[in-house]
Every structure is written in structure tokens, then in C-alpha cells.
Amino acid sequence: MKWLKHNLYIVTISILFVASMVLDNLDPNNIISKIIMTLLTIFAGFHIFKKAFMDLRYRIIGIDLLVTIAVVAAFIIGDLFEAAAVTYLFTLGHVLEKKSLEKTRSALSVLIDLKPTFARVIDKNNETMVELNQLKPKDIILVKPGEKIPTDGVIIEGSVMIDEQMMTGESMPVYKEVNDQVFGATLLQSGYIKIEVTKVGSDTRLSKIIHMVEEAQDKKAHTQKFMEVFSKYYTPFVVLFAIIIYGLTLEIRLAITMLVIACPGALVISTPVSFVAGIGNAARKGILFKGGDSIENLSKGNIVFFDKTGTLTLGKPVLSEIKVYDNNQNHLLKIAAIGESFSEHPLSLAIIEAAREKNIDIEDEPTDVEMKIGKGIIFTYNKIKYAIGNKQLLSFEIPQPIEHEIEMMEAQGMTTLIMSDSQKILGLFGIEDGIRNESVKLIRKLKKLGIKQTIMLTGDQKRVAHHISHTLGIDQYYAGLLPEDKASIIESYHKDNHTIFVGDGINDALALSTANASVAVGGMGKDIAMETADVVLLSENIGKLEDAIKISKKVKMNMIQNVVFSLFVVLFLIIGVIFRQVTMSIGMLVHEFSVLVVIVNAIRLLRYNQGGRHDKRSRTKQLHKSSSDLQKS
């Protein structure tokens, strides 16, 4: 009964349509036949006539006006069944079209459904379940295994594995501990955590993503705008064409049939429906397209520029090699970490982190600390004066064998820190920015996607840039660049190419805005990147760039298929009408069928590269392994 009540209108006009078909075959001139067909025309066509009238008030000649003219003309010449059939088929097509279009936007509804509705607030050791809209920043909430994290916050107690796939597309759960940031709607796999709320409501990451997807699905691409302009002039042309046909043949039936079959419905919808489905698919993989333009531009790219630090590399310097001279390695690392504890330089943090990983006690404090900007740090520990930094910090010549070892380390892309006392060099620390695991595979796969050249742009030194680009197989690199230099280099390639720039943060903003298409990596924690780039990869996994390019090309191909099919159908019907093989109702049936075919073709994009049963089994095994590792830790 509920279904019948919901679909009462379409059921009623369907019954009237079947009755009209029967009566048209029995006796079309019978008064009952005329009443039934007239009722069907009025019921099914009321919203069409109303829309046509509204369009005329704003001097718009649209599809509804074409159908209205055709229906009125059919009534005038006494063909009531054609009038009834055309209005019914047009309305039925609209209903099916509306339901099908809702499927193309299903990805957005999935995101909205991710929002939890309640949170467990801790107040003076008491747990209270509150509605999400009552949460405030600074509230302390408790999340248990299997629950969704209610909102964005920072962990203040506990260490857990969190499944962020619904937001980042990453299949592997992420390990998080105290002081790590967590995001609302992600799923707690194991353990429990207490979180201090940092953002609520529309400020949360999920709300911003939903807002961006909504805007992207409504943002029109160049092709879509062109099709709308085309339709604006095409529709009046159809009216003029029908008038000319009537003038030449004096056949009103032929003229009004031409009005119906030449409706550009499938053509108008052919591009937006593909973009909406493509954007929805990408959102489920943790890839945000800012609109149809973003998809078009990314699909055209043939040169990809990469920022280095934080994009191809982890963006976190790591101590990878220590050389000591007449000393114990851990002892030297301890002294270096104690001295560097007064510095916030990323290279200093790499040394401190390495000492902590080896459980070396670095609680002691140095004395007489002196920061040398651009050189390093000088300090005293246990009454011995030490220096750690670059060559400019030394007050004596570097012995030739050590100089050779420094050159060897730097040739491998390391930044070398030299540690010394007042008389001699005590050791060398080789620090490098680790390459992301996905970077090597990505560069190789880009070639298969038709990218003819990959170029790295970095502010780092030439030897480091050479090492990274050689390791990754990047075609070319530019080193020692300022942000404006990166933008100038990208611009110099615009004449014969379509450029893509991939970066990760605020220092890349100028380059991101200069390239024809821009992609930001790791947008989950980087608002500037999300605002500036055309495409945002929500996780740190740069391998998703391949998915983004594949989806953009797939959407472009789908759009071309829709446009070609729509034009072919219109051409086929026009030829059929000219040779008197297509009636008005048959023309409307084929027309509406073509609209549905276009939508169904676009819906295929929602299932593109979704992963099969094997992927699910593999992911389940990975989850079990991760949980096991966590328990062991």
C-alpha cells in the first residue's frame, strides 16, 4: 500500500494510457475514447504545459514548449491518441530519469550517512550519551571498539587502529596514539580512546568534504556550458525547422512529429550526468574533484610536475646513517640529541627522534647553548664544548678522508651534519627525507597513462634532487627553486602542453594555481591545499594520483559516448520522420529511451574500479594482521 500511495500518480496515468491504447484500436471516435484520451493528456501533461508557460514568461524556448506545441497541434487535427501518448511517455520518461539521476548522486548520500548521531561525553568520570549537535570544542569524549568517532579531535588517552577508508579511500587502518588528530565518522577498529573535541558541526572535516562534493557536482565544465549554449539556440531552430517543413509540405502531422523527435533531452543531460557520477565515484576513493572543469583538465594532462618534499618524499627528515671516529655510536648520538634539544630545526628533530627510538636517555640539559643561524648549534655538555652543523660551523680544516665520506653521503641524497669538539671531528650524521613507497610505482604507471614527461621541482640542493629523481625514474628535475620559480617553469611549458602540478601545501599554492590542473596530496590535514588545488587526495598515498587520472579519462570517454549516442538518435529519428517511418508517439518513446540509456551509461561510472571479492578478502586479512600487530605492541 505504501508503494501504491507513493506511486499513485504514475499508476493512474499508466492505467489511462493502457485504456487509451485499447479504445484507440476499438473505436477512436467514440465519446468515451475521446474523454479517456483527453483526461490522460490533461493529467500527464499538466506539469509540461505549466513549465512551458513559465519558460515563455522568461522568453525561453525549451523542450516542454516543443512538446506543448506538438500536443496542441495534435488536438487541433483530431489525433487525440498521439497527444495522450506523447504526454504520457514524456512524463514517464521524466519520472524514470529523476530516479536514475538520484543514483548518480548516491555517493554524496553515502558520505552524509557516515555522520554519527550521538557521542559519549565524559564529565567527572561519568559517561553521558548526547546528541552530536550538543557537542562543544574542549569536550572530552570516549570512543569504544567498533564505534564511529563522533567528531574531529585530538587523542588524549589510548592508542588504537582507525579505519579511515570512508574518508581517505585507504584500505589499511591507521595507527594513532596520544596527540594524534582524528576525524569524525572514521571507525575505531580496536582499543578505546579519549578525545578532546576540536571541531564540531560544519567545521569538521567530513562536513567540509560533503560541502565540496556538493559544490563540485553543481559546478559546470566547459563542455557542459557549451552543450547548454548549443541547446539554447538548437531548440528555437527546431521550431523554425518544423515551420519550414509545414510550409513546404503543408503536412501538420509531419511538422509536429519533427518538433517531438528533435528534442535535445539526451544531449543536454549527456555531460552533467557523467561528471556527477565520476565525482561521486572519486569521492568514495578519497579523491575530491572540485567540479567538471577539474575532471576535464586532469584528463588532458600530458606533463606532470611534482613538488619533492612531502609529495614524492615523506616530508619528514630521518637519520639514516651515522659515522663515528674514535667514539661509541650511541654515546655520540646521545650527546648530539641533548645539544639539539634546544633547536626546533627539522634536522635536529630527526636526531632527537633517532635517539628516542633507541631508548637513549636524553633528559640531561646542555649549557652555554649558542644557535648559529644557517650553520648549526654550539653547546657544552659535561664541561666539553661541542658543535654540530654544516662545514661553516667548523674552525679547522676537514681531513681529506672525512671530506671524501661527506661527499659520498651527499651523493646519496643525504644532508650531512658534522659533530666536533674544539680539536677534531667526532662523527657524521646523514639525514634524508625518505621516499614514499608509492612514488616509484606511480612514476612508472604514469607513463602507461599517456603522460609523456615527469618533472620534479624542488627548493632543495641539486645533488639531493638528482638522487631522488634518479631513484624514482623522473625524466627531469629543477633544483634550488623558490615558489615563484616553480610557477615560471610550469608556465614555460604551457605553449605546447597541458600541465599537471602535484604538491602538498601552502608553499606550493602559486604553482598549484599556475598549472592547467593541480592536485594536492594529503588534504585531510591541510586546509590550504584543499582550498587551492583542483583535485584533492585526502590521504598521504600519492599512488591515488593514478586513480584520479584514470577516473578523469574514464569520465571523458563516458561523456563522449553519451554525446555521440544522443546525436545519432536524433539523426536517426529525423531521417525516420522524413521517410514517414516514425510516428509522433514512437518518436517520443525512442527519445525518452535514449535519455535513460545516457543515464544508465553514466551510472556505470559509479561501479568503475570498485574492487571485487578478492579485494575484500585481502583487506580483511590486512585488518586482522594490523590488529594482531597492535596487540603485540
Side-chain angles (χ1 to χ4, degrees):
M1 287 300 292
K2 188 178 179 181
W3 180 90
L4 182 62
K5 185 178 178 182
H6 187 69
N7 296 282
L8 183 61
Y9 172 70
I10 202 71
V11 170
T12 302
I13 61 173
S14 294
I15 292 172
L16 287 173
F17 177 67
V18 172
S20 298
M21 286 181 67
V22 174
L23 292 171
D24 185 56
N25 285 315
L26 294 176
D27 185 2
N29 295 317
N30 184 284
I31 185 64
I32 296 177
S33 301
K34 291 181 178 178
I35 291 173
I36 294 294
M37 293 175 191
T38 302
L39 282 175
L40 175 58
T41 304
I42 295 172
F43 286 159
F46 177 74
H47 67 281
I48 304 171
F49 309 146
K50 183 180 175 183
K51 177 73 167 39
F53 178 73
M54 296 296 291
D55 285 348
L56 270 181
R57 288 183 62 185
Y58 294 100
R59 299 179 181 178
I60 297 173
I61 300 177
I63 298 172
D64 296 273
L65 181 62
L66 297 185
V67 174
T68 301
I69 294 173
V71 170
V72 172
F75 251 86
I76 292 173
I77 64 175
D79 197 340
L80 301 189
F81 178 73
E82 285 288 350
V86 166
T87 52
Y88 169 74
L89 292 171
F90 191 73
T91 299
L92 180 65
H94 262 274
V95 172
L96 296 176
E97 179 184 330
K98 184 180 176 184
K99 289 184 179 297
S100 301
L101 281 173
E102 285 173 355
K103 282 187 177 294
T104 66
R105 291 182 175 266
S106 60
L108 183 60
S109 60
V110 168
L111 283 176
I112 294 172
D113 290 343
L114 288 175
K115 285 186 175 180
T117 51
F118 287 90
R120 188 180 286 104
V121 175
I122 304 294
D123 184 18
K124 298 178 182 176
N125 294 324
N126 294 321
E127 294 181 19
T128 308
M129 296 297 288
V130 302
E131 291 187 9
L132 206 61
N133 57 14
Q134 294 179 10
L135 274 183
K136 303 182 296 296
K138 301 291 184 185
D139 278 350
I140 306 299
I141 57 177
L142 175 68
V143 187
K144 295 183 178 180
E147 292 181 347
K148 286 181 181 176
I149 295 174
T151 190
D152 296 359
V154 175
I155 298 176
I156 59 172
E157 183 179 323
S159 55
V160 290
M161 300 296 292
I162 297 178
D163 182 356
E164 295 185 335
Q165 185 185 25
M166 60 289 292
M167 295 187 72
T168 66
E170 287 298 315
S171 59
M172 286 294 293
V174 182
Y175 175 73
K176 299 215 172 183
E177 56 188 356
V178 173
N179 292 328
D180 282 343
Q181 193 175 9
V182 294
F183 301 98
T186 53
L187 184 67
L188 197 64
Q189 290 282 341
S190 58
Y192 81 94
I193 46 174
K194 286 183 180 177
I195 301 169
E196 181 178 309
V197 174
T198 55
K199 293 179 180 176
V200 296
S202 60
D203 291 332
T204 62
R205 184 65 49 187
L206 178 63
S207 295
K208 288 184 178 179
I209 290 172
I210 291 172
H211 180 65
M212 289 176 68
V213 174
E214 284 175 335
E215 283 193 332
Q217 291 189 334
D218 292 331
K219 196 173 179 181
K220 296 174 181 175
H222 292 307
T223 308
Q224 188 177 347
K225 291 173 186 171
F226 169 78
M227 296 306 297
E228 289 183 357
V229 172
F230 173 77
S231 300
K232 181 180 177 182
Y233 292 100
Y234 172 81
T235 312
F237 171 76
V238 170
V239 177
L240 181 63
F241 187 52
I243 294 172
I244 292 173
I245 286 179
Y246 177 70
L248 293 175
T249 64
L250 297 179
E251 291 188 38
I252 185 68
R253 186 182 298 277
L254 182 64
I256 61 176
T257 303
M258 190 62 71
L259 277 180
V260 170
I261 61 95
C263 288
L267 198 60
V268 170
I269 204 172
S270 59
T271 50
V273 75
S274 297
F275 285 132
V276 168
I279 289 169
N281 181 305
R284 290 198 298 221
K285 290 180 167 58
I287 302 167
L288 289 185
F289 284 100
K290 295 285 187 68
D293 275 350
S294 305
I295 293 179
E296 278 190 334
N297 289 331
L298 195 66
S299 69
K300 294 176 185 173
N302 59 355
I303 290 185
V304 180
F305 292 89
F306 289 97
D307 166 56
K308 181 184 77 68
T309 306
T311 303
L312 294 170
T313 66
L314 295 168
K316 182 182 178 183
V318 177
L319 178 61
S320 57
E321 187 170 346
I322 305 176
K323 289 187 181 297
V324 295
Y325 307 107
D326 300 327
N327 213 321
N328 176 276
Q329 192 177 87
N330 282 357
H331 180 65
L332 190 71
L333 179 59
K334 174 179 179 174
I335 298 172
I338 288 172
E340 295 284 18
S341 62
F342 270 63
S343 172
E344 294 183 351
H345 194 281
L347 299 181
S348 304
L349 297 178
I351 290 178
I352 295 169
E353 187 66 26
R356 285 175 176 160
E357 286 180 359
K358 291 189 174 187
N359 295 319
I360 296 174
D361 180 13
I362 55 172
E363 294 300 317
D364 293 345
E365 290 191 1
T367 58
D368 303 325
V369 178
E370 189 178 354
M371 302 295 297
K372 298 287 185 182
I373 304 300
K375 297 179 181 178
I377 187 169
I378 298 173
F379 62 96
T380 299
Y381 178 65
N382 285 341
K383 300 180 180 179
I384 300 175
K385 191 172 185 179
Y386 296 98
I388 181 167
N390 57 31
K391 295 177 183 177
Q392 298 174 38
L393 196 63
L394 295 177
S395 57
F396 51 83
E397 291 290 327
I398 301 175
Q400 190 57 40
I402 296 179
E403 182 73 68
H404 178 68
E405 286 193 305
I406 292 174
E407 290 175 358
M408 292 288 288
M409 293 171 75
E410 291 183 344
Q412 296 175 46
M414 298 180 196
T415 298
T416 308
L417 296 183
I418 306 167
M419 186 162 177
S420 65
D421 57 20
S422 57
Q423 298 178 337
K424 61 182 182 300
I425 292 178
L426 303 174
L428 305 176
F429 295 94
I431 298 172
E432 63 181 345
D433 187 4
I435 296 174
R436 293 186 189 277
N437 292 331
E438 312 86 18
S439 296
V440 178
K441 290 181 181 176
L442 173 67
I443 300 301
R444 192 170 61 244
K445 289 178 178 177
L446 287 181
K447 298 289 183 185
K448 296 180 180 177
L449 290 176
I451 302 299
K452 70 177 186 181
Q453 194 173 10
T454 51
I455 301 173
M456 186 174 74
L457 306 177
T458 177
D460 217 328
Q461 299 174 40
K462 186 176 179 179
R463 55 181 173 72
V464 177
H466 174 78
H467 172 73
I468 297 291
S469 61
H470 179 71
T471 303
L472 293 176
I474 289 177
D475 298 317
Q476 191 176 353
Y477 67 85
Y478 294 87
L481 303 177
L482 296 171
E484 53 267 34
D485 299 328
K486 294 182 181 179
S488 299
I489 291 171
I490 293 170
E491 200 162 5
S492 68
Y493 280 82
H494 277 171
K495 185 179 179 182
D496 301 316
N497 300 284
H498 204 86
T499 59
I500 301 172
F501 179 78
V502 187
D504 75 317
I506 189 169
N507 63 326
D508 297 322
L510 190 56
L512 286 168
S513 60
T514 302
N516 297 121
S518 55
V519 181
V521 181
M524 280 283 283
K526 300 169 182 175
D527 287 345
I528 294 296
M530 289 183 72
E531 293 291 334
T532 309
D534 298 321
V535 185
V536 179
L537 309 183
L538 290 174
S539 72
E540 299 281 346
N541 183 359
I542 194 175
K544 286 191 176 294
L545 177 64
E546 180 197 6
D547 288 333
I549 294 176
K550 279 184 175 178
I551 290 173
S552 69
K553 290 181 180 293
K554 196 75 179 176
V555 170
K556 184 180 178 182
M557 180 56 66
N558 190 275
M559 183 181 67
I560 292 172
Q561 290 168 352
N562 283 345
V563 171
V564 171
F565 173 75
S566 303
L567 289 173
F568 175 78
V569 169
V570 170
L571 181 63
F572 172 77
L573 287 175
I574 289 176
I575 293 173
V577 171
I578 291 174
F579 287 95
R580 292 174 171 74
Q581 298 297 313
V582 176
T583 65
M584 190 163 63
S585 56
I586 292 296
M588 178 56 75
L589 182 63
V590 174
H591 170 266
E592 291 301 326
F593 178 73
S594 69
V595 171
L596 292 177
V597 168
V598 163
I599 295 172
V600 169
N601 187 44
I603 288 175
R604 292 192 307 120
L605 290 170
L606 291 174
R607 295 194 295 271
Y608 171 66
N609 199 20
Q610 286 297 301
R613 190 180 300 172
H614 172 76
D615 292 338
K616 291 179 181 177
R617 280 204 302 265
S618 174
R619 182 170 173 264
T620 303
K621 288 174 65 178
Q622 288 173 335
L623 288 174
H624 283 306
K625 184 177 183 303
S626 301
S627 298
S628 175
D629 292 344
L630 178 64
Q631 288 172 359
K632 290 175 183 176
S633 68

